[in-house]
Every structure is written in C-alpha cells, then in structure tokens.
Amino acid sequence: MSTAQDTAGGETPAWAEVTPDAARRLLIAAVEAFAERGYHATTTRDIAGRAGMSPAALYIHYKTKEELLHRISRIGHAKALDILRTAARREGTPAERLADAVGSFVRWHAGGRTTARVVQYELDSLGPDARAEILALRRQCDAEVRGIIEEGVAAGDFDVLDVKGTTLAVLSLCIDVARWFNVDGPWTPDEVGALYADLVLRMVGAA
Amino acid sequence: MSTAQDTAGGETPAWAEVTPDAARRLLIAAVEAFAERGYHATTTRDIAGRAGMSPAALYIHYKTKEELLHRISRIGHAKALDILRTAARREGTPAERLADAVGSFVRWHAGGRTTARVVQYELDSLGPDARAEILALRRQCDAEVRGIIEEGVAAGDFDVLDVKGTTLAVLSLCIDVARWFNVDGPWTPDEVGALYADLVLRMVGAA
DNA sequence: GCCCAGGGTGAGCGGGCGCTTAGCGAGCGG
DNA sequence: CCGCTCGCTAAGCGCCCGCTCACCCTGGGC
C-alpha cells in the first residue's frame, strides 16, 4: 500500500526528493490521509500513525501540519508543470503536442490520483503566502497549454473561438479526472488519457 | 449578502422549500460557510453566527451538522437533475437539447457557485447512507446526459467513440466550473454556458 | 568505555469542537 | 391575567485537536 503512488510514466520513484527517509514516510502518509479525508478532517495523530510513528515525531521534520500540505502542493505542482512543459516543448505539430500534453497530464491525474487530489483540491487550506506561491505555478501551467493552442491557431491548424476560455476548459477537464477517476473502475489511466486527447483535439477543431 | 444566491434562471427564490424561516436562514448560512471553508473546517458556531443566532439554535432545527449538509446536498442535486431533465425532455434535435442541457447546467454551476461547490465537492463528508442516496441522484444526472448523446449517435448527428466516457467528460467539464468560476472574473455565467455548449457539441462531433 | 548528537517517545497543555440542558420571555387561548 | 407553548439563549460537558516538552535510546568518534 505504501508503494502504490508512483509517477505517471514510472520515471523516478515518487517523492524521492524528500529526505530523510522518516520525513518521506510522513509525507506519503499525509498525502494518503489528505486524499481520503481532506486536509481539515485529517489529524496529525492519523498521519503519524500511518507512518508508524508517535504523534510527536511529525514535529521533528515539519513545523506544522500546514507545512506538510505546502510541501506536497509545491512538489506536486512542480511535477504537473514539468509534464506540461515537456509536452509543449517537444517537436511536432501543435495538434501532436496538445494531444501529448493532455494525454500525459490526464495519465498523471488518473494514475497518481491520490497525489493529484491533494494538489488540486486542498489548495484553499493553505495560508495566503503559500497559496500565492502555488497559484504562480498554476499560472505557468495555464501558460504552457495556452501557448500550444495559440500556435495551433496561428498555424491555421486549430479553430478556436475563445483561446483563454478554451485553455481553461481543457485544463479543467484534465484536473477533474482526479475527482472521479477510480482505480477499480472500467478504464486504465492510459485509456482515459487517449480518450481525453481525442476529445480535446475536437474541442480545438483539429479533428 | 444573504440574498446573493439565486437559482440559475431566477425562476423560484432559492431554498424557498426550506421552512420555517429560521431553518432556511441557518441552511443558507451553512451553504456559504461550507463553500468558503469546506464542511470540516466550518464550525457550528460559525453557521449560527452567520444566521444571527446562538450556537444552540442550530440544534432546534437540525439534529446534527451533517444533517445540514445532507439537506443541502439533496436539494441541490434535485435542482441539478431537474435542470438536466428539463433540457433532455424538451423538443428539438439531440444537438439542440445537448447544448441546452450543458448551457443551463453550466449557468447553474457558475451563477450558483456557492451552492454548487458544496453540492459537488463536499459529498465525501456525508455518512455512508446519505452518500448512497445522493449518488443515486448523480447516476440519474448521468443517465439524462447519456440519453441525449445516445440519441444523437443513433440519429447519426453525433460522432462519438466512447459514449460512456464522453458522457462522463461532459458532466465533469460542467461540474468543474463550480471550482474555478469567479464572479468577479472576465466571464458571466451566460458566456461560460454558451462557450461550453459549443465546446461540448464539438466533443460529440456535431459541429 | 564514555560521551554526545539527534531521531524518537509518553504524557499532557490550552483550547475549540459538536452537542446538551436548564431556563427565559414573547405570543396567545381561556 | 393566568399559564402554556415554543423558539431561543447562556452556560457548559466531554472529547479530541494541534502542538510541546522532558526524557530515552542508539550509533559513531576518540
């Protein structure tokens, strides 16, 4: 159960950047707990218990419960931005790059649903400073997708009425996968990624 | 501020079915608080305070804090289902009915964002029985939209690879409006409704 | 063998939570 | 003008929260 959360493509083991080991185990426990119950409904005793430690151990590695959420949010958003950036800057037509971006972004939200849930839906539980920092990362995600769509429009490959609105809709569609995707459901992350890539190409008039 | 939340088209005053007046004021206060902070982060003292009452007054009209969420969720889902059902059963081509359904559903999520947020995102805070009841209403919402899409496919108006997946994506797109829509933002609910109706028609290949 | 640094624990503090209860006072039939 | 009803309040109960602190155990340098 503790090794269930990997990255979208299985590149690097998840949360490898968090050290030492005890801090990583606590963070993974927090991700699972926040995803299941939400930030406010999760107790520090629950997090420590999942990591096999006493409640006090949490405060050796993190100043507060909110710092845990902040760390999770920052690492998660960095990963999401990395996925979109990689797709946006590869070679290929705008349609190919948009399909790649949506496909891999959706695979991450479906496969790493536990992490994605926390990253995408617990943002409001952060304090003002931390939230502002995360929102900046979000705007960069938006910019990457909008960039691809604008290039497609400029090249005459896409037919879009409202670039800003369509960008928002595309991201919204991908993000909401984290809310409804069920590992035991009828689709694999790959299947949802492929379906969504097709749907998004239709949305921008590239089909 | 207390009259801010109306229905999508301004048909009936919101929450008119909740009586007596004190119970309705408490429920409206709860909707606002849950939408702002989430169910678990909202205290019964906060709800009562917003309604101008003492903390104990809440328990004259509701057995528990969860009963408030349950009532809000049931009424909200009933309204959502009503919107979709009305659009699905009117006269017109499948494309017209789908555009109507998406447009009005999105207008409700954008205009009544406060309510929609609670209804769509605080579901997991309900107990098993209450959640099961609400999930049944959700499946009916899904069935209404899937019905329109199936008719469009049967009539040869739509070109859809995966009816079930596309239905889910359409609903997901609409629901997520409640997460990002901002009343002070660049769009009105009507504009988002129109944009989304166009995007969904493209998704089903009816453009 | 001794010491020290540092990750870990058990116990517990102050406080705020959901919820209860005893009683108050306005409205009203008789 | 009594007295009953009933919506509401003030006070507070028991609980568990986030977080702290004094102490312990273990492993590596000398």
Side-chain angles (χ1 to χ4, degrees):
Chain A
M1 187 171 283
S2 62
T3 60
Q5 284 312 320
D6 287 57
T7 53
E11 306 106 34
T12 51
W15 308 116
E17 62 268 64
V18 182
T19 54
D21 184 68
R24 180 167 54 248
R25 280 190 292 131
L26 283 164
L27 189 133
I28 291 170
V31 169
E32 291 174 359
F34 291 163
E36 274 179 32
R37 315 231 245 259
Y39 174 78
H40 286 295
T42 299
T43 70
T44 54
R45 284 163 175 85
D46 182 26
I47 296 170
R50 283 172 190 249
M53 299 178 189
S54 75
L58 197 152
Y59 294 91
I60 296 163
H61 301 282
Y62 303 95
K63 233 172 12 193
T64 62
K65 180 176 135 183
E66 194 196 322
E67 193 194 323
L68 263 167
L69 179 60
H70 186 189
R71 282 256 234 279
I72 292 167
S73 224
R74 185 165 48 198
I75 296 172
H77 271 92
K79 180 66 185 166
L81 178 56
D82 180 58
I83 287 169
L84 290 176
R85 200 165 262 167
T86 301
R89 305 195 174 170
R90 60 162 248 194
E91 293 181 16
T93 64
E96 286 166 352
R97 283 183 290 138
L98 184 60
D100 189 20
V102 168
S104 52
F105 200 50
V106 165
R107 277 196 300 277
W108 184 71
H109 278 83
R113 179 179 177 260
T114 312
T115 303
R117 264 205 163 195
V118 179
V119 164
Q120 300 292 3
Y121 292 105
E122 300 293 337
L123 205 100
D124 292 340
S125 302
L126 287 170
D129 293 352
R131 184 160 67 240
E133 183 198 332
I134 302 299
L135 285 177
L137 286 171
R138 283 204 172 213
R139 277 191 293 275
Q140 290 182 57
C141 290
D142 187 272
E144 292 294 339
V145 174
R146 193 170 59 245
I148 306 176
I149 293 177
E150 279 167 352
E151 286 174 43
V153 171
D157 295 349
F158 295 170
D159 166 35
V160 175
L161 295 174
D162 178 346
V163 170
K164 220 172 114 189
T166 303
T167 301
L168 218 142
V170 168
L171 278 169
S172 166
L173 193 63
C174 296
I175 287 171
D176 202 53
V177 168
R179 183 179 57 85
W180 62 260
F181 186 81
N182 181 356
V183 186
D184 304 322
W187 296 289
T188 65
D190 279 352
E191 287 166 350
V192 181
L195 172 66
Y196 269 48
D198 173 65
L199 288 173
V200 166
L201 288 185
R202 290 164 176 241
M203 285 167 73
V204 297
Chain B
M1 185 172 284
S2 61
T3 61
Q5 283 312 317
D6 288 57
T7 53
E11 307 107 33
T12 51
W15 308 116
E17 61 269 63
V18 182
T19 53
D21 184 68
R24 180 168 52 249
R25 278 190 293 132
L26 282 164
L27 189 133
I28 291 170
V31 169
E32 289 174 1
F34 291 162
E36 272 178 33
R37 318 234 245 256
Y39 175 78
H40 286 295
T42 299
T43 70
T44 54
R45 284 163 176 83
D46 182 26
I47 296 170
R50 284 172 190 249
M53 298 179 191
S54 76
L58 196 152
Y59 294 92
I60 296 162
H61 300 283
Y62 302 96
K63 236 174 8 197
T64 62
K65 179 176 135 182
E66 195 196 319
E67 193 195 323
L68 263 168
L69 179 60
H70 186 189
R71 282 257 235 278
I72 292 166
S73 225
R74 186 165 47 197
I75 295 172
H77 271 91
K79 180 67 186 163
L81 178 55
D82 180 57
I83 287 169
L84 290 176
R85 201 164 261 167
T86 300
R89 306 195 174 169
R90 61 162 245 193
E91 291 180 20
T93 65
E96 285 166 352
R97 283 182 290 140
L98 184 60
D100 188 20
V102 169
S104 51
F105 201 49
V106 165
R107 277 196 302 277
W108 184 71
H109 278 83
R113 179 179 177 261
T114 312
T115 303
R117 263 204 164 197
V118 179
V119 164
Q120 300 293 3
Y121 291 104
E122 300 294 337
L123 206 100
D124 293 340
S125 301
L126 287 170
D129 293 352
R131 183 160 66 242
E133 183 198 333
I134 302 298
L135 285 177
L137 286 171
R138 283 204 172 212
R139 277 191 293 276
Q140 290 183 55
C141 290
D142 187 272
E144 292 295 337
V145 173
R146 194 170 59 245
I148 307 177
I149 294 178
E150 278 169 352
E151 285 173 43
V153 171
D157 296 349
F158 295 170
D159 167 36
V160 175
L161 294 174
D162 179 345
V163 170
K164 219 172 114 189
T166 303
T167 301
L168 217 141
V170 168
L171 277 170
S172 166
L173 193 63
C174 295
I175 286 171
D176 202 53
V177 169
R179 184 180 55 85
W180 62 261
F181 186 80
N182 181 356
V183 186
D184 304 323
W187 295 289
T188 64
D190 278 351
E191 286 165 353
V192 181
L195 172 65
Y196 269 48
D198 173 66
L199 288 173
V200 166
L201 289 184
R202 289 163 176 242
M203 285 166 74
V204 297

